[in-house]
């Protein structure tokens, strides 16, 4: 995900609006960015997340992350050729930010709510991910290589 991300940011989301494109409803969020880990530094960023409420209709999309206003996350963002920003892999590209007992910043993502497949299309178990922010920063510095 590091290599495929246009940007990786630490931010707090706030919903802005909803819209419909090609029959799919999206909710647009403004991200108040506290740190840019990859990409050009920004203070705010808009991302579109599939699903939401629009003109009296509601649409849910499996695997879409539930963003909580006021919570802090690390977002792996892909910018489409149109300029629209999306979270890579839906909930796979979103990590909650916590601080552990020793003061280190820890990033967590629970198991995906939708079926997960590998590059070959085979089903895989997703047990979630926990990592230190410093480990992610080291991976970014390596360009996302193992």
């Amino acid at each position: 995900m590091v290599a495929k991300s246009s940007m990786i940011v630490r931010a707090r989301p706030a919903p802005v609006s909803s819209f419909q494109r090609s029959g799919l409803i999206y909710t647009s969020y403004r991200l108040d960015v506290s740190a840019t880990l990859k990409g050009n530094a920004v203070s705010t960023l808009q991302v579109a997340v599939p699903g939401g409420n629009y003109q009296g209709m509601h649409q849910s999309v499996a695997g879409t992350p539930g963003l909580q206003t006021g919570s802090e996350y690390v977002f792996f963002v892909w910018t489409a050729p149109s300029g629209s920003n999306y979270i890579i892999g839906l909930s796979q590209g979103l990590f909650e930010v916590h601080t552990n007992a020793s003061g280190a910043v820890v990033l967590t993502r629970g198991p995906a709510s939708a079926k997960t497949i590998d590059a070959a299309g085979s089903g895989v178990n997703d047990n979630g991910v926990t990592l230190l922010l410093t480990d992610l920063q080291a991976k970014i510095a390596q360009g996302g290589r193992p």
Side-chain angles (χ1 to χ4, degrees), residues 62-142:
T64 299
L67 300 176
Q68 301 298 316
T69 300
S71 293
E72 187 174 26
Y73 302 94
V74 168
F75 293 82
F76 287 69
V77 178
W78 175 72
T79 304
S82 66
S84 297
N85 297 307
Y86 303 93
I87 301 170
I88 284 186
L90 300 175
S91 61
Q92 294 177 347
L94 182 72
F95 290 78
E96 292 183 40
V97 176
H98 306 279
T99 304
N100 67 15
S102 64
V105 177
V106 178
L107 310 177
T108 60
R109 177 185 59 76
S113 61
K115 182 177 179 180
T116 306
I117 58 172
D118 63 16
S122 299
V124 296
N125 290 329
D126 181 356
N127 298 317
V129 178
T130 298
L131 72 150
L132 293 172
L133 177 60
T134 53
D135 291 343
L136 174 59
Q137 290 168 318
K139 181 69 79 179
I140 293 167
Q142 296 172 352

Side-chain angles (χ1 to χ4, degrees), residues 1 13 18 25 37 40 42 45 50 56 70 73 86 91 95 113 117:
M1 285 192 317
S18 293
I25 295 172
L37 306 172
N40 296 328
V42 295
L45 182 68
Y73 302 94
Y86 303 93
S91 61
F95 290 78
S113 61
I117 58 172

